[in-house]
Amino acid sequence: MINAIRRISGNLRKANGGNAAMLVALGMPVLIGGAGLAVDTAQWYMWKRELQHSVDQAALGAAFALSNEKSEQNFETRAMQEFNVNQSKTEGFSATPTIRLANFAGGTDNSVIVSASATKALPFSSMVMGSSATINVSAQASFRPGISFNACLVALAEDESDVLNIGGNANIQARCGLAALSCEDDAITIDGSATVETDSIATCGTVDVPEENQDVVSEGVEGLEDIYKDLVPPEVSTEQENTCKGKGKSKYAELYEGTYKGGITVKCDTVLNSGVYVIDGGSLDLTGNYSTIGNKVLFILKNGAEIKFGGSGNSNQLNLTPMEADDFIGKPYAGKAEDFQNVLVFEIPNEDLPRPDHQINGNSDTLMEGLIYLPSGEIKINGTGKVSAQCLQISAWKIRVLGTADLETLCPTEDTTSVGSAIADVRLVA
């Protein structure tokens, strides 16, 4: 009997036919657990990604709202709209976000944080642990408001350098601002011994200006624009001539609105009555040693017409003011009042003609008001020209202020030409 038991025990020790089944049995819980964990992890990652996308979009939406003063009071509503739109695409769980302002990079309340959490049972882990999984997500977006720019000296050329140049010993007092639409390097340059007093210098490109002007410079400003480019000026069909009357020092001319073929050249003391003057080719030449007065006038330049303001003698006096809204009443072009009130000179662009060479010359005592708009031509303020105004604005293809020219314009910034806004800076930071 004992020997039989020993033989059976020896045979059992040598037997290995059930090892595989035993190993499978022992490893099955691990295999099932690993597969369950993989499924749960994939599901958890997908839920977390979907919820993270929702808070990301909510934070960006709130930040964009905060970057605009017109919508900043509604930033929480904007965040909820973005969050809900994204959550509506998610099945199986929902969450309510928390929205709050936060400081970022040394600023105060210059970012918004949106956080959310969601709890849901995962197939495997909830069976093993007896509880649901909780997902927590958060997003932070910073914002910097877009800046609106106004300017009374605006260079409109977009693809060239040095489009607004102030040189020599020129003296510019234009607190209302300088701007250039060009995105090239050195779009605005102030060199030599020139003196410029201004509260704003803005360009899509870069500037080369003295150190004393650096603190008002804004470079790389996208979105600057020419707000007058689509205006269509009034027309007057009556043809007029410029004729001096009288003799010797008593000669004078009195002009009326209409179309002047070949331009107007003053050859005696001249008065321009209120109205629209179409300069069809040639020059609007108000130089010479004469007095020229034009109160409540609008000059329309067409077919390459140029302006020449100023004089060759110290007795030259030039006094020009633009039409106001009331001056359009009862005229055939009364409907143009809103667009052209306070416009002194308006050039009609013509790409088929050479660029006009506009000038305000030296040795003159000039008082001008209103907007001079010259989208096709370059304007030069030369020599010892002195131009004073309560509110003179110049928007031209290029602007050059040279020599010892003296230009003073006292426009309130809010009343000057809008040249657009810098795009708000909004980005996710966490």
Side-chain angles (χ1 to χ4, degrees):
M1 176 65 70
I2 294 175
N3 291 333
I5 292 173
R6 287 177 179 174
R7 285 196 301 271
I8 292 171
S9 297
N11 290 335
L12 287 174
R13 286 197 301 271
K14 295 177 181 179
N16 55 15
N19 288 355
M22 185 178 295
L23 290 173
V24 170
L26 292 173
M28 188 58 70
V30 178
L31 180 63
I32 294 174
L37 181 61
V39 171
D40 277 11
T41 300
Q43 188 66 58
W44 175 86
Y45 177 78
M46 182 176 293
W47 289 345
K48 184 176 178 66
R49 185 179 66 176
E50 290 171 347
L51 191 57
Q52 184 67 55
H53 182 72
S54 296
V55 296
D56 286 349
Q57 296 304 306
L60 287 171
F64 273 112
L66 286 162
S67 70
N68 188 328
E69 62 180 11
K70 295 181 180 180
S71 61
E72 61 182 349
Q73 300 300 321
N74 301 318
F75 77 96
E76 292 177 315
T77 300
R78 181 62 176 154
M80 286 301 303
Q81 288 174 339
E82 290 294 329
F83 186 86
N84 290 334
V85 165
N86 284 278
Q87 281 291 281
S88 67
K89 306 298 181 182
T90 302
E91 297 182 357
F93 71 92
S94 61
T96 300
T98 300
I99 306 162
R100 64 183 178 87
L101 293 176
N103 301 336
F104 175 74
T108 301
D109 287 345
N110 62 336
S111 73
V112 59
I113 295 177
V114 179
S115 55
S117 63
T119 300
K120 187 177 179 181
L122 292 168
F124 177 76
S125 58
S126 61
M127 178 182 66
V128 175
M129 300 174 61
S131 62
S132 300
T134 298
I135 302 167
N136 297 296
V137 294
S138 177
Q140 181 177 9
S142 68
F143 63 91
R144 185 176 62 189
I147 302 172
S148 296
F149 293 97
N150 287 38
C152 49
L153 296 179
V154 183
L156 304 173
E158 297 184 1
D159 301 317
E160 300 187 38
S161 298
D162 200 27
V163 295
L164 199 168
N165 174 269
I166 301 171
N169 293 300
N171 179 37
I172 304 295
Q173 298 181 58
R175 291 288 183 187
C176 39
L178 282 59
L181 274 56
S182 173
C183 295
E184 301 297 321
D185 291 339
D186 296 341
I188 298 175
T189 57
I190 301 172
D191 52 27
S193 301
T195 301
V196 177
E197 296 182 17
T198 186
D199 290 341
S200 173
I201 299 176
T203 178
C204 176
T206 64
V207 304
D208 181 7
V209 301
E211 184 176 350
E212 55 266 28
N213 296 119
Q214 288 288 342
D215 59 341
V216 297
V217 168
S218 296
E219 297 179 314
V221 180
E222 298 181 5
L224 298 183
E225 60 180 345
D226 175 7
I227 65 170
Y228 305 110
K229 65 180 180 180
D230 295 324
L231 295 185
V232 178
E235 296 181 0
V236 288
S237 57
T238 304
E239 292 193 15
Q240 303 280 15
E241 293 184 356
N242 173 28
T243 304
C244 292
K245 302 176 182 179
K247 295 182 180 180
K249 294 183 178 180
S250 63
K251 290 174 63 176
Y252 73 97
E254 186 173 5
L255 306 184
Y256 297 89
E257 79 169 14
T259 295
Y260 289 77
K261 296 280 189 179
I264 296 174
T265 299
V266 295
K267 298 179 180 178
C268 56
D269 290 348
T270 300
V271 173
L272 298 101
N273 288 281
S274 178
V276 176
Y277 292 75
V278 177
I279 311 303
D280 188 357
S283 297
L284 175 60
D285 188 346
L286 307 185
T287 59
N289 197 19
Y290 305 106
S291 172
T292 303
I293 299 175
N295 289 323
K296 300 184 177 182
V297 294
L298 167 60
F299 297 108
I300 306 297
L301 308 182
K302 62 186 295 186
N303 292 327
E306 300 175 339
I307 62 170
K308 294 181 181 179
F309 293 166
S312 57
N314 290 329
S315 62
N316 173 272
Q317 292 184 341
L318 180 61
N319 190 322
L320 300 173
T321 60
M323 297 175 70
E324 299 176 0
D326 290 347
D327 301 314
F328 289 78
I329 296 176
K331 301 285 189 177
Y333 45 79
K336 301 288 185 179
E338 184 176 351
D339 290 335
F340 285 91
Q341 62 180 328
N342 299 318
V343 177
L344 181 64
V345 179
F346 187 92
E347 178 184 63
I348 300 175
N350 191 326
E351 297 179 356
D352 297 329
L353 297 173
R355 292 194 179 277
D357 183 15
H358 306 291
Q359 298 181 41
I360 297 177
N361 293 320
N363 297 318
S364 65
D365 185 4
T366 302
L367 176 62
M368 288 189 292
E369 304 289 346
L371 169 69
I372 297 176
Y373 177 68
L374 307 168
S376 293
E378 175 177 287
I379 186 168
K380 297 185 179 73
I381 303 175
N382 300 311
T384 58
K386 178 176 175 58
V387 182
S388 299
Q390 286 299 313
C391 189
L392 174 67
Q393 302 182 66
I394 299 175
S395 289
W397 179 64
K398 289 184 179 181
I399 299 174
R400 298 274 185 272
V401 186
L402 308 171
T404 56
D406 192 340
L407 174 61
E408 179 184 41
T409 179
L410 305 176
C411 299
T413 302
E414 62 272 16
D415 293 338
T416 57
T417 299
S418 170
V419 291
S421 302
I423 298 174
D425 180 16
V426 173
R427 53 197 174 95
L428 281 175
V429 294

